Amino acid sequence: MTAHAFLPALAAEKLRAELRGILGASHVLTDADALPFLTDQRGQLTGRAVAVVRPANTAEVAQVVALCARHGTPIVPQGGNTGLCGGATPDDSGRAVLLSLARLNRIRSIDTENDSLVAEAGCVLAAVQAAANEAGRLFPLSLGSEGSCTIGGNLGTNAGGTQVLRYGNARQLTLGLEVVTPSGEIWDGLKGLRKDNTGYDLRDLYIGSEGTLGIITAATLRLFPQPAAERTAFVAFPSLPAAVEFLAVARIGLGESLTAFEVISSTCLDLVRRHIPQASFPGDAEERSAPWHALVEIGGSDDESATAQRLERVLANALERGLLRNAVIASSIAQSQALWHLRDALLGEALRRAGGATSHDISVPVSRIPAFIVEAEARLQRLVPGVQIYAFGHLGDGNLHYNALPPAELRSPQTHEQLRRLVHDAAVAQGGSISAEHGLGQVKNKELARYKSTVELQLMRAIKAALDPQGLMNPGKVLPPG
């Protein structure tokens, strides 16, 4: 690697030598060995680094951070490198050390009486789910990337996923943290307490901060009883307002057993048919032609028969009221998994094959989502006639993944930026946010100056300055430049 002018080659090599002294030569990567860590998972951003380091435990993380603090070297923490906003990718200056947490991958303990689990930051989410399951418990955070994303990254971006409606996002699923501070000290806040009113909540400062205030090395996570039964339905709606109204009806009729409510537009299903023709779809032709669909999942303490009957009653009542066209209830785990595969894998693959879409991760109050959909598309069509909209996401918590695909002849970086600005403006106009669960990273941070008040930005900068006075923790992420 070529060192940046601010870090002369001699100083860079001295730093690498000291890092090898802490971690061993095999865990200080440079040149070709480092390249897989330096590009984001979409392949759109590539940075440079003095080295990629792979500590094995919290003590080694602390030593590396303390060393970098003495050298004035920035640190970019990285988990599974599955982020979508470049939060775990260094810039191209070559000044930073990229710190991979992949080797911090132990489940330290499980306390079934306290319904909690302590996992290190490098634990893959699916491994945490499996450990909870083996203990007869449920860890409900569930994402499309759960086979590769890690707990540290999930907490760094305050990940949401498909079951926020019932269990909350990553913040609500976390009881405590272990954090290495920018000076290399270790804060042990792993208490498994549900009540601790002894001052500022440091845990909540670090969750969602994307490594800009410190490095999360472990977390105490909440566990739940496993549902005795689960049922998934694929529901067709005559309109999006009808889907929103049905969500309210389902909440009343199903209560806390309603775990997921994922909407999918008909244009998304058409995209899957076009690019993955071998894909199979539930329901008949009339149902598949509905403008909006939803995956509705419930889980509870009742047996399978009682759970199915509860869902059937709610669906039948809504059908009589004209809120839905039809519904198909999965009769087996395999059918349920096939429905979720359509949402989690096939749709993502179809969008990838289509290429050129401008993607957005926005949130809007649930009651205003229909108005957002109408207003956003009207704005986009005026700007780019013929733009195709592919919207899907977590209607239950107001989070939409809104994808806009311009005609091929109109695709350009300038069009991409204009589309993103219009979508974000439309979301904020409805009282929404430009980032629901993907974070800000280096892709969206520059937009904060447009959407955050001066007071909010001042408070955020004050927190950053107080906890990271040297500005070494994941620089260029979250906060806007300047």
Side-chain angles (χ1 to χ4, degrees):
M1 290 184 183
T2 302
H4 189 271
F6 291 119
L7 191 65
L10 189 61
E13 187 50 49
K14 182 177 185 296
L15 176 58
R16 287 192 283 264
E18 293 183 68
L19 289 168
R20 294 184 189 105
I22 296 171
L23 304 177
S26 62
H27 296 297
V28 179
L29 309 180
T30 59
D31 302 315
D33 294 333
L35 289 179
F37 299 85
L38 302 179
T39 299
D40 75 313
Q41 66 97 17
R42 288 183 169 182
Q44 296 178 351
L45 300 168
T46 299
R48 296 189 300 145
V50 176
V52 172
V53 298
R54 301 187 300 179
N57 52 54
T58 300
E60 288 188 353
V61 173
Q63 291 179 67
V64 168
V65 173
L67 175 65
C68 289
R70 290 196 298 272
H71 282 266
T73 300
I75 300 171
V76 177
Q78 186 179 98
N81 197 23
T82 61
L84 299 176
C85 292
T89 304
D91 62 21
D92 63 358
S93 70
R95 295 185 58 227
V97 165
L98 189 146
L99 191 152
S100 168
L101 292 153
R103 295 177 68 208
L104 276 73
N105 58 7
R106 294 185 303 124
I107 304 292
R108 292 186 185 175
S109 64
I110 300 178
D111 184 344
T112 55
E113 293 181 345
N114 192 52
D115 277 333
S116 61
L117 174 154
V118 179
E120 292 182 337
C123 284
V124 172
L125 175 55
V128 175
Q129 296 168 341
N133 184 63
E134 290 173 8
R137 297 294 188 270
L138 169 73
F139 182 62
L141 185 63
S142 180
L143 314 172
S145 60
E146 61 194 28
S148 53
C149 66
T150 61
I151 287 297
N154 298 153
L155 297 178
T157 56
N158 190 26
T162 59
Q163 300 195 73
V164 171
L165 176 61
R166 165 65 180 87
Y167 297 102
N169 53 23
R171 178 173 279 112
Q172 281 72 53
L173 297 174
T174 306
L175 298 174
L177 296 178
E178 178 185 83
V179 175
V180 173
T181 72
S183 63
E185 297 176 294
I186 300 171
W187 170 52
D188 183 354
L190 288 173
K191 296 177 183 178
L193 299 177
R194 286 158 177 81
K195 289 185 175 180
D196 183 6
N197 192 18
T198 54
Y200 306 125
D201 196 332
L202 300 178
R203 175 198 62 184
D204 281 356
L205 275 178
Y206 290 110
I207 295 174
S209 67
E210 301 185 51
T212 61
L213 302 178
I215 299 176
I216 296 172
T217 51
T220 303
L221 305 170
R222 294 181 64 193
L223 302 181
F224 296 82
Q226 290 182 338
E230 291 181 335
R231 274 291 185 270
T232 303
F234 189 72
V235 185
F237 296 101
S239 67
L240 188 55
V244 172
E245 187 175 350
F246 173 72
L247 172 60
V249 169
R251 279 176 160 160
I252 294 171
L254 299 171
E256 287 196 348
S257 65
L258 181 62
T259 57
F261 198 106
E262 298 286 301
V263 293
I264 307 172
S265 68
S266 61
T267 56
C268 288
L269 298 183
D270 291 340
L271 188 72
V272 173
R273 292 189 191 97
R274 187 158 61 251
H275 291 280
I276 310 177
Q278 68 273 22
S280 60
F281 297 85
D284 56 25
E286 180 181 357
E287 181 182 2
R288 292 195 297 270
S289 67
W292 288 91
H293 299 77
L295 278 170
V296 180
E297 184 171 271
I298 70 169
S301 57
D302 296 332
D303 60 26
E304 291 284 350
S305 176
T307 299
Q309 289 174 10
R310 291 182 67 199
L311 180 57
E312 288 168 2
R313 284 196 299 270
V314 170
L315 291 171
N317 177 51
L319 187 61
E320 291 178 2
R321 295 172 55 178
L323 295 181
L324 53 92
R325 285 191 181 179
N326 201 358
V328 175
I329 300 178
S331 59
S332 66
I333 293 176
Q335 286 187 5
S336 177
Q337 290 175 337
L339 290 174
W340 282 106
H341 184 66
L342 172 64
R343 155 68 172 83
D344 292 337
L346 296 184
L347 181 51
E349 176 61 18
L351 281 166
R352 187 191 68 79
R353 293 185 185 183
T358 305
S359 301
H360 310 85
D361 165 47
I362 60 93
S363 64
V364 173
V366 174
S367 59
R368 299 182 184 180
I369 283 182
F372 162 78
I373 289 290
V374 171
E375 177 62 23
E377 182 160 9
R379 293 187 186 196
L380 296 186
Q381 291 292 355
R382 286 195 294 268
L383 174 70
V384 183
V387 64
Q388 293 293 312
I389 307 301
Y390 304 104
F392 64 97
H394 322 301
L395 181 68
D397 56 56
N399 175 196
L400 286 181
H401 301 303
Y402 189 90
N403 302 275
L405 181 65
E409 67 274 12
L410 298 179
R411 296 173 196 171
S412 69
Q414 181 182 11
T415 299
H416 169 82
E417 290 302 320
Q418 290 174 328
L419 290 174
R420 184 164 64 178
R421 173 63 59 84
L422 285 183
V423 171
H424 288 168
D425 283 353
V428 172
Q430 295 294 338
S433 169
I434 67 171
S435 181
E437 62 179 359
H438 293 166
L440 295 167
Q442 59 182 293
V443 172
K444 294 184 180 180
N445 64 326
K446 300 174 184 65
E447 299 183 56
L448 280 197
R450 180 177 178 85
Y451 301 111
K452 289 281 190 185
S453 70
T454 301
V455 172
E456 285 178 293
L457 289 174
Q458 287 175 340
L459 290 171
M460 290 173 67
R461 293 189 191 281
I463 292 170
K464 172 72 169 175
L467 296 184
D468 181 24
Q470 287 185 270
L472 299 180
M473 304 305 297
N474 213 6
K477 317 294 171 52
V478 179
L479 287 169

